Amino acid sequence: MPVPNPQDKLAVVVLASGEGTNLQAILDCAATGELPVKVHAVISDRSGTPALQCARRADAAAQICAAADYPEREHYDAALSRHIDQYKPGLVVLAGFMRILGGHFVDHYRGRLLNIHPSLLPKYRGLHTHRRVLAAGDREHGCSVHFVTRTLDSGPVIAQIKVKVMPGDSEDTLRARVLRQEHRLYPEVIGWFARGRLRLDDSHVVLDGKRLQSPVMLPAQEQDQ
Ligand code: GAR
């Protein structure tokens, strides 16, 4: 894969199923120039999602690749790849894309496919992370950005932000606190990638030429520490 030239804007395609608040954070940082990327397209597996509206407001292509049109997973993944590849992205960003992607798809984008997950991976892979953290009585929680590999939520973790679980937290208050950090974490990591500082080497994260021994821990905003 060519190393991005720092002068160029990296072509990005975002896959999103829902509210699109992470997408919006990325679009905002791209608009200010803080993030040297251009989001060419947002693709959703559902019609009418707020994420698609965010895309249209930012003049990015808003496309739907509906699961119902492709009963076989491989056919869906192939159609999704065709949608994505027409934009020739250097990076594909999963921002609340709530479908499991097959091995061929993941291999095709290996090293240029990122995901954000609302937990301190490897803890709480899968769904309902905030509920599970509360049920376990954990004192801390957070979010992770990782390279996507074939096993769900198990790819090499690049960076994380921790937040405290407060007495009296509900799933909603905890989700909101973690989401605020996601909006800082994802643009930061995408910026590293876009500036050629971050890559996947075999199964290791390499940042600034060094293999990470553990994820980079970024500080939470003061109110959420
Ligand atoms: C985010 O919390 C993201 O971490 C999570 O979905 C939410 C999407 O919010 N993703 C996953 O759970 C993927 N396993 P958004 O649509 O407002 O960005």
Side-chain angles (χ1 to χ4, degrees), residues 1-5 10-11 88-92 107-114 147 192-201:
M1 201 192 74
V3 175
N5 177 339
L10 181 72
K88 300 186 172 37
L91 180 67
V92 178
D107 289 349
H108 179 61
Y109 298 103
R110 191 177 170 85
R112 55 186 178 120
L113 183 59
L114 295 179
F147 282 108
W192 297 343
F193 189 91
R195 293 183 173 91
R197 297 177 53 195
L198 173 68
R199 64 188 165 84
L200 181 66
D201 178 9

Side-chain angles (χ1 to χ4, degrees), residues 2 9 53 59 91 93 100 104 112 130 146-147 150 153 157 162 165 171 174 181-182 189-191 195 200 215 224:
K9 287 195 175 180
Q53 292 161 19
D59 282 333
L91 180 67
V93 170
I100 294 176
H104 287 301
R112 55 186 178 120
H130 312 301
H146 65 97
F147 282 108
R150 280 183 167 228
D153 297 332
V157 179
K162 281 183 188 170
V165 180
E171 218 176 312
L174 197 50
Q181 306 314 316
E182 293 185 37
V189 173
I190 292 169
R195 293 183 173 91
L200 181 66
D224 295 325

Side-chain angles (χ1 to χ4, degrees), residues 70-198:
Y70 305 93
E72 303 283 330
R73 154 101 72 83
E74 305 89 84
H75 295 166
Y76 180 82
D77 286 358
L80 187 59
S81 278
R82 285 195 295 277
H83 279 283
I84 295 170
D85 289 347
Q86 60 182 310
Y87 299 101
K88 300 186 172 37
L91 180 67
V92 178
V93 170
L94 305 182
F97 189 66
M98 302 311 274
R99 272 188 68 85
I100 294 176
L101 296 161
H104 287 301
F105 180 97
V106 168
D107 289 349
H108 179 61
Y109 298 103
R110 191 177 170 85
R112 55 186 178 120
L113 183 59
L114 295 179
N115 183 43
I116 190 157
H117 185 74
S119 79
L120 296 172
L121 290 171
K123 293 184 92 176
Y124 304 110
R125 296 175 173 129
L127 297 174
H128 309 302
T129 59
H130 312 301
R131 190 183 307 169
R132 288 155 64 205
V133 162
L134 289 173
D138 289 2
R139 308 286 294 277
E140 63 178 20
H141 185 27
C143 49
S144 308
V145 173
H146 65 97
F147 282 108
V148 177
T149 53
R150 280 183 167 228
T151 312
L152 181 71
D153 297 332
S154 298
V157 179
I158 303 160
Q160 298 180 316
I161 297 183
K162 281 183 188 170
V163 300
K164 275 197 182 127
V165 180
M166 304 292 190
D169 257 335
S170 66
E171 218 176 312
D172 284 346
T173 58
L174 197 50
R175 178 183 295 109
R177 188 172 314 122
V178 172
L179 203 50
R180 276 198 292 278
Q181 306 314 316
E182 293 185 37
H183 298 161
R184 300 174 50 242
L185 182 65
Y186 221 176
E188 182 74 28
V189 173
I190 292 169
W192 297 343
F193 189 91
R195 293 183 173 91
R197 297 177 53 195
L198 173 68

Side-chain angles (χ1 to χ4, degrees), residues 16-27 49-52 54 95-96 183:
S17 303
E19 291 302 311
T21 64
N22 276 291
L23 165 66
Q24 190 61 57
I26 295 162
L27 290 169
T49 58
L52 291 173
C54 296
H183 298 161

